[in-house]
Amino acid sequence: MQRRGFSKEQVFKGNDAVLPVLIIGAGPVGLVLSILLTKLGINSTVLERNKAFSKHPQAHFINNRSMEIFRKIDGLVEEIQRSQPPVDLWRKFVYCTSLSGSILGSVDHIQPQDLEHVVSPVSVAHFSQYKLTMLLLKQLENLGFKTCAPESSEGNKQFREKKILMGHECVSIDTSNEFITVTASSVNNGKQIEKNIHCNILIGADGAGSTVRKLVGIDMEGEKDLQKLVSVHFLSKRLGQFLLKENPGMLFFIFNTEAIGVLVAHDLRQGEFVLQIPFYPPQQTIEDFSSKACEKLISKLVGREFGDVDVIDIKPWIMHAEVAERFVSCGNRIILAGDAAHRFPPAGGFDDGIMFGERQSQVECRGYVCVLLRTWHCHFRKGMNTGIQDAHNLAWKVASVIKGIAPTSMLNTYDMERRPISVFNTRLSLENYRAAMSVPATLGLNPTVANTVHKVIINGVGSILPSGLQRLALDGIFAIGRAQLSESVLNESNPVGSSRLAKLRHIFEEGKSLQLQFPAEDLGFRYLQGAIMPESSDVASSPQVPTGRRRDYIPSAQPGCRLPHMFVRVNPLSKEMVSTHDLVSGDKVEFVLIIAPVKGSYHLAHEAFKVAEERQVGLKVCVFWSTDSGVGLDKGSKEALSPWKNYADVEVCSKTTNWWDMCNMTNRGAILVRPDEHIAWRTISELTGDPRAEMQRVFSSIIRAH
């Protein structure tokens, strides 16, 4: 790759021959980013190396914050909610000896407040990634995008804006000019064709094996090759109906003397499942996992035969726990997002994993129990959610730069904000993994022993044995371990079994097992530096150490936090209640200043309007009226804010919670909210200094324009 640095203070100039934004990768992150950019008035083109979209279920849990972001995409949340299974069918994790055998325990991961929209205007969702991709493509089609195959291309015409170019792989990147040149390779009628695409900003959203990351020369930091795994996608309506009747759930952790595995119920009504199986090279090869072999394994885990098991797909993948050393490079013009920037154990998407043909390096043995728990763990805190939040953070900043509101140096704040969150989520993933380890350890399956044994077979005395004998030895040792799960051991009459079952119940009751939701982290993450104005009382500190256990979200209006949710009415005549998040537009780069109807705050709003106009920054003022201060609400703020018109009178609907109290502020304070619903600045009480000078300082700091 040829490289030349760009001026960090450069503002882009229009050029019809250069795409504003080129996105590499048409996974959920790339597609969401293209939608958000389009809604903000920035056109883009997407390159995807695969010729067709995968229908392997992959990631399936969409957390609160991602669902909040989806509310900015017209009708997407409603479509997900209509299409996903009812919550009662997936709210539990079930631990059992087989699907038709004894239940060791179950954990309900949905609490009443999760469905009551107290801390968020929308609930979490259980929705397969490939189905989400189809909905995102439909959204892009409605926005004027066209999906093109290599065979449909004519000259360079297909490289215009609003295209999703399938079967096009990025093979080189040249930054030696004032724009970036990407060479895309495709196969058309059996002939390989390479063409150049020029763009102002290049975004690599091309998964864990990111070509963009490699071409730019960005290294990953953390643990590589944690384990090789096999994902088996299969259909069985009979199994789905059986579980609907007997014991519905999202995940089934199965321990018995013949097999240990996890079954992911993507949709019980449709009978769609994914079975996760640990893979142990060199004793095993991927050829060992034929459709017939997988069907037999499914029968062992189910505990009975279902004649309609149809294995659709068998995919190997590798698990990592890494974060890119930087997310932005080449003069802030090349940016990484999603799994390209972070690939930790819960990275969502097997297609985003490194496939076996690409890497054949030996993997240190992690033991069959350790492997299995990592497999389970990967489904819950998925990189897909972190990646979607990357896209949300990035979209308004890219739009600000392309529109000339901010210099390219503003894009560096994306790295400053999102990389620490990725590092934190990696730590949280590992803590959740440790919590998951407690279940098999309690059942007598010691991961340390399994690790040691496998090491001996691969690197120790066992390494001199032929591969066939190594495999027999490994299978034999694993069979001995699984003997701990026999009915003769694991029952209330056996003192050992009774003790283990009691400890298991305690783990479940105390919330010390694998968790699905982390409200405090999913909604309460905070940017400590970046496109924000920190408070003078803020001290440099690391985020709270993750525990791997569910903690409740506590609303906060500190700079860098997500705007707290509360239901409000936008004008005196409206009966419709909306979230405070709905005060932030998803269709333009616009900040929101929240104030109370007091003289000093109105004066602050006047000065904020003037500064925003000077800097060509969109600004809307929202005046929050409490339910007991209705005097004057009929007149609103027309006289106080004249001649400015971009304002709204907002009535707080809650009779039990005061907005300013919830934010730990007085009603003489003010909150400035960014276009991504994170708080950029606030004053807790009445501003004592010159409001104009303060607003100039705030906007200069946020958009990096000094």
Side-chain angles (χ1 to χ4, degrees):
M1 187 192 79
Q2 297 178 348
R3 182 184 304 176
R4 190 185 83 178
F6 293 95
S7 168
K8 291 188 176 182
E9 298 304 318
Q10 179 179 350
V11 175
F12 292 121
K13 298 178 180 179
N15 187 334
D16 291 339
V18 180
L19 294 170
V21 179
L22 179 63
I23 300 171
I24 309 296
V29 175
L31 297 180
V32 167
L33 179 58
S34 62
I35 292 171
L36 295 177
L37 285 172
T38 303
K39 288 174 67 64
L40 293 173
I42 304 300
N43 290 333
S44 63
T45 286
V46 183
L47 293 189
E48 170 56 47
R49 65 174 177 264
N50 295 311
K51 291 186 176 181
F53 290 97
S54 171
K55 290 191 175 181
H56 203 91
Q58 303 171 320
H60 57 91
F61 180 70
I62 307 175
N63 70 17
N64 259 132
R65 186 58 186 143
S66 294
M67 288 293 283
E68 289 178 351
I69 294 168
F70 287 168
R71 293 178 75 247
K72 298 298 183 183
I73 301 176
D74 303 332
L76 181 58
V77 164
E78 291 77 10
E79 189 67 33
I80 291 172
Q81 291 173 333
R82 281 194 299 267
S83 304
Q84 73 167 346
V87 67
D88 286 342
L89 302 185
W90 54 265
R91 61 192 298 161
K92 292 183 180 180
F93 293 171
V94 179
Y95 298 79
C96 56
T97 58
S98 75
L99 297 184
S100 55
S102 301
I103 302 298
L104 300 174
S106 66
V107 180
D108 188 343
H109 291 279
I110 302 295
Q111 296 185 6
Q113 61 266 34
D114 299 332
L115 305 175
E116 294 170 358
H117 301 165
V118 175
V119 298
S120 175
V122 64
S123 301
V124 299
H126 174 42
F127 195 65
S128 298
Q129 181 173 320
Y130 79 93
K131 296 179 182 177
L132 173 62
T133 298
M134 295 302 106
L135 294 184
L136 295 174
L137 289 171
K138 182 179 177 181
Q139 289 282 336
L140 284 167
E141 183 180 334
N142 293 338
L143 291 171
F145 274 74
K146 292 184 179 180
T147 302
C148 306
E151 293 77 11
S152 65
S153 64
E154 296 179 8
N156 285 319
K157 292 181 180 179
Q158 85 276 18
F159 294 131
R160 297 310 305 146
E161 300 160 354
K162 292 194 173 183
K163 302 286 186 182
I164 302 172
L165 303 174
M166 305 299 294
H168 287 75
E169 183 174 5
C170 170
V171 294
S172 69
I173 301 172
D174 180 0
T175 63
S176 60
N177 297 306
E178 291 301 313
F179 48 78
I180 298 169
T181 300
V182 171
T183 301
S185 175
S186 63
V187 177
N188 190 345
N189 295 322
K191 182 180 179 181
Q192 186 169 345
I193 300 173
E194 290 189 354
K195 294 180 181 178
N196 292 331
I197 311 174
H198 306 306
C199 63
N200 281 320
I201 294 177
L202 175 64
I203 298 171
D206 49 340
S210 173
T211 299
V212 174
R213 187 184 67 237
K214 293 173 183 176
L215 289 174
V216 174
I218 297 177
D219 293 329
M220 300 293 283
E221 299 175 345
E223 294 185 60
K224 296 181 179 180
D225 298 343
L226 290 177
Q227 186 57 50
K228 290 182 171 69
L229 302 131
V230 174
S231 171
V232 182
H233 177 207
F234 73 94
L235 302 176
S236 174
K237 284 197 173 182
R238 292 181 184 176
L239 175 57
Q241 292 301 313
F242 172 78
L243 291 173
L244 280 173
K245 181 180 179 181
E246 297 295 330
N247 200 2
M250 175 190 284
L251 295 176
F252 297 84
F253 305 85
I254 307 167
F255 303 88
N256 64 48
T257 56
E258 293 190 88
I260 297 176
V262 60
L263 190 69
V264 187
H266 279 262
D267 194 329
L268 290 176
R269 299 172 302 178
Q270 298 298 319
E272 185 173 30
F273 301 91
V274 167
L275 175 64
Q276 293 287 355
I277 309 169
F279 177 67
Y280 312 101
Q283 288 81 15
Q284 291 180 330
T285 65
I286 192 60
E287 287 73 23
D288 294 329
F289 296 93
S290 65
S291 295
K292 289 293 184 184
C294 291
E295 287 176 13
K296 290 181 180 178
L297 185 56
I298 291 167
S299 296
K300 291 177 181 178
L301 294 170
V302 171
R304 58 181 291 183
E305 293 284 345
F306 287 101
D308 67 337
V309 172
D310 181 14
V311 175
I312 304 298
D313 199 10
I314 302 169
K315 285 201 172 193
W317 60 293
I318 299 178
M319 192 179 292
H320 306 276
E322 297 178 297
V323 177
E325 61 182 355
R326 61 186 185 277
F327 287 9
V328 178
S329 67
C330 299
N332 302 318
R333 298 295 194 96
I334 299 180
I335 303 167
L336 302 179
D339 288 350
H342 41 74
R343 51 189 197 189
F344 36 89
F350 305 103
D351 286 342
D352 290 335
I354 304 296
M355 303 311 291
F356 287 111
E358 187 173 337
R359 254 186 204 174
Q360 294 293 342
S361 60
Q362 284 272 344
V363 182
E364 177 187 356
C365 167
R366 303 285 171 173
Y368 71 100
V369 176
C370 185
V371 170
L372 182 63
L373 268 297
R374 281 197 175 100
T375 307
W376 297 341
H377 163 66
C378 76
H379 289 276
F380 313 136
R381 292 202 48 79
K382 294 169 291 299
M384 184 183 75
N385 287 300
T386 306
I388 287 167
Q389 291 149 36
D390 291 343
H392 193 224
N393 180 286
L394 186 57
W396 73 276
K397 295 176 181 179
V398 169
S400 297
V401 171
I402 296 293
K403 288 175 179 288
I405 297 170
T408 57
S409 58
M410 185 187 184
L411 296 177
N412 193 48
T413 66
Y414 166 73
D415 181 286
M416 297 167 68
E417 293 176 356
R418 293 305 301 168
R419 191 175 185 280
I421 299 301
S422 298
V423 171
F424 179 84
N425 282 349
T426 303
R427 294 172 182 167
L428 179 60
S429 298
L430 294 174
E431 288 300 322
N432 201 25
Y433 155 68
R434 293 189 181 100
M437 291 281 287
S438 64
V439 173
T442 300
L443 293 174
L445 302 174
N446 191 322
T448 304
V449 174
N451 291 346
T452 303
V453 169
H454 202 178
K455 281 184 180 180
V456 169
I457 291 176
I458 292 179
N459 302 317
V461 177
S463 63
I464 64 175
L465 297 174
S467 59
L469 290 178
Q470 287 186 26
R471 178 166 180 170
L472 286 173
L474 190 66
D475 289 345
I477 292 168
F478 284 0
I480 294 172
R482 291 195 301 269
Q484 298 287 321
L485 305 171
S486 67
E487 291 184 6
S488 61
V489 175
L490 206 58
N491 68 79
E492 295 291 355
S493 300
N494 186 312
V496 173
S498 177
S499 174
R500 289 175 177 175
L501 291 172
K503 290 179 181 178
L504 203 60
R505 287 192 293 270
H506 178 74
I507 289 172
F508 296 148
E509 290 168 0
E510 295 295 316
K512 296 179 180 179
S513 61
L514 193 68
Q515 296 299 298
L516 176 66
Q517 292 202 74
F518 295 87
E521 290 79 11
D522 291 342
L523 298 175
F525 64 88
R526 181 188 180 193
Y527 302 136
L528 297 177
Q529 59 177 338
I532 62 171
M533 180 62 90
E535 296 177 324
S536 58
S537 59
D538 284 346
V539 294
S541 61
S542 300
Q544 185 172 350
V545 177
T547 63
R549 300 173 71 174
R550 173 171 172 149
R551 295 185 297 117
D552 290 334
Y553 161 74
I554 299 175
S556 173
Q558 292 176 294
C561 290
R562 153 193 168 276
L563 178 68
H565 155 72
M566 181 180 282
F567 284 116
V568 296
R569 290 188 181 90
V570 176
N571 65 63
L573 301 177
S574 174
K575 294 182 179 180
E576 180 186 4
M577 292 192 299
V578 300
S579 171
T580 47
H581 291 188
D582 297 322
L583 303 175
V584 183
S585 174
D587 298 324
K588 51 188 171 182
V589 179
E590 182 180 74
F591 288 78
V592 173
L593 181 66
I594 298 175
I595 62 171
V598 296
K599 183 177 180 180
S601 296
Y602 279 131
H603 181 52
L604 173 66
H606 269 271
E607 299 305 321
F609 271 130
K610 293 176 184 177
V611 173
E613 185 177 61
E614 291 170 359
R615 297 190 175 275
Q616 297 181 316
V617 176
L619 177 68
K620 178 171 70 176
V621 172
C622 290
V623 185
F624 272 39
W625 300 73
S626 62
T627 53
D628 58 354
S629 62
V631 178
L633 183 57
D634 54 336
K635 296 182 179 180
S637 305
K638 185 175 181 178
E639 294 181 4
L641 291 176
S642 179
W644 308 103
K645 297 181 179 180
N646 193 23
Y647 66 87
D649 288 304
V650 178
E651 183 181 9
V652 176
C653 299
S654 176
K655 295 182 179 180
T656 59
T657 305
N658 179 282
W659 166 258
W660 300 106
D661 288 345
M662 183 178 72
C663 294
N664 289 317
M665 298 170 58
T666 73
N667 69 343
R668 295 183 178 275
I671 300 171
L672 184 66
V673 186
R674 307 189 321 190
D676 64 351
E677 300 161 11
H678 279 259
I679 294 170
W681 166 89
R682 74 167 177 176
T683 176
I684 295 176
S685 55
E686 187 171 3
L687 193 66
T688 56
D690 178 7
R692 183 174 179 80
E694 178 67 5
M695 288 296 97
Q696 288 176 331
R697 186 174 73 97
V698 168
F699 279 108
S700 293
S701 178
I702 293 169
I703 65 176
R704 290 297 194 263
H706 299 288

